[in-house]
Amino acid sequence: MNDRGGLVFVVSAPSGAGKSSVLRRVLAELSRLRFSVSHTTRRPRVDEEEGADYSFVSRERFEAMIRDDRFLEWAEVHGQLYGTSREEIARATADEVDLMLDVDVQGAAQVRRRMPSAITVFILPPSRAALDARLRGRGGQDDADIERRLGVAREEIERFREYDYVVVNERIEECVELVKSVIQAARCRTTRMRDAARGVIATF
Ligand code: 5GP
């Protein structure tokens, strides 16, 4: 009934809460929802694709983009720069799709200030132990790195109150359904359904 797009969803979670897997499923299962491809200065991981996961750029290029005011938001996370370009938002609006931003708590706060209509969701791990186990299960990180991430996670989790919605990722299927429900509810807001409703009324 309504496919005009233009909604911006923001999802944050501490590292290891399963956000990427949840978002991948949500994006695969809902139509007219696009993943916002951020710019970052960090190196691509083996399974990552330029232009699909991130636009990988040098620090010089990123800093030039900051100077040119080309970011809706940007932040330094784990020593690397990450940002959402204004162009990404403009393109989604032009293509009439909704946009899903995967940004950290600093980025979410900036989006909220600059775009109050954005709908924000925080994904919580079920417990510290669960997060610890997931971080260790990933491999490739030493104890100090895991302890550091758990410390950061604690600080990030404290900020859940700033978000419109909070979902606990106890079971991925349930978490995916809850995030999808938030999106579908936003799409049914009366303000967005006016044209559709008028179309129905016109048939009477
Ligand atoms: P990763 O390097 O593991 O892909 O992401 C690290 C963190 O950076 C995650 O918390 C992710 O949400 C965040 N992040 C990714 N893209 C952006 C962005 O464009 N802006 C901000 N502020 N954070 C981002």
Side-chain angles (χ1 to χ4, degrees):
M1 287 296 271
N2 184 340
D3 58 2
R4 283 174 303 136
L7 293 176
V8 171
F9 297 95
V10 177
V11 177
S12 304
S15 171
K19 178 180 55 178
S20 305
S21 316
V22 170
L23 291 189
R24 209 173 302 122
R25 300 251 305 246
V26 168
L27 284 153
E29 292 175 26
L30 287 183
S31 61
R32 306 196 69 83
L33 179 66
R34 179 184 292 172
F35 178 68
S36 168
V37 180
S38 297
H39 282 69
T40 183
T41 57
R42 87 151 160 73
R43 287 176 181 283
R45 298 184 184 128
V46 277
D47 57 341
E48 285 180 331
E49 200 185 317
E50 160 66 32
D53 297 290
Y54 283 105
S55 284
F56 297 97
V57 294
S58 66
R59 195 167 259 266
E60 292 69 35
R61 169 109 183 86
F62 197 103
E63 285 169 353
M65 287 180 71
I66 296 173
R67 281 195 299 278
D68 295 341
D69 193 28
R70 290 184 50 194
F71 288 116
L72 170 71
E73 63 74 34
W74 67 271
E76 183 155 353
V77 186
H78 307 306
Q80 298 292 339
L81 301 176
Y82 294 82
T84 305
S85 69
R86 296 186 189 280
E87 206 178 309
E88 194 69 8
I89 309 280
R91 209 177 312 123
T93 308
D95 294 344
E96 302 189 332
V97 295
D98 297 330
L99 201 59
M100 169 65 74
L101 272 59
D102 168 349
V103 304
D104 82 319
V105 291
Q106 308 169 73
Q110 294 173 50
V111 174
R112 211 174 285 116
R113 271 200 303 278
R114 292 172 193 158
M115 197 179 259
S117 61
I119 295 142
T120 60
V121 183
F122 195 86
I123 298 179
L124 279 174
S127 64
R128 185 187 195 278
L131 194 61
D132 189 314
R134 283 187 198 155
L135 287 172
R136 283 179 205 283
R138 275 181 182 179
Q141 295 173 93
D142 57 28
D143 281 356
D145 194 30
I146 287 170
E147 281 307 316
R148 191 177 56 78
R149 281 177 189 265
L150 287 171
V152 172
R154 171 71 213 246
E155 285 168 26
E156 288 174 340
I157 287 171
E158 294 283 352
R159 296 182 65 174
F160 79 89
R161 291 177 192 80
E162 299 171 20
Y163 289 73
D164 298 315
Y165 297 93
V166 177
V167 174
V168 179
N169 187 13
E170 180 106 48
R171 288 192 320 114
I172 184 159
E173 291 76 16
E174 193 186 354
C175 187
V176 167
E177 287 311 313
L178 289 171
V179 174
K180 280 167 65 181
S181 305
V182 168
I183 294 166
Q184 283 160 330
R187 287 175 166 178
C188 293
R189 294 294 299 253
T190 310
T191 45
R192 287 177 51 83
M193 292 300 289
R194 274 190 193 129
D195 288 350
R198 278 198 197 104
V200 173
I201 290 165
T203 67
F204 280 77

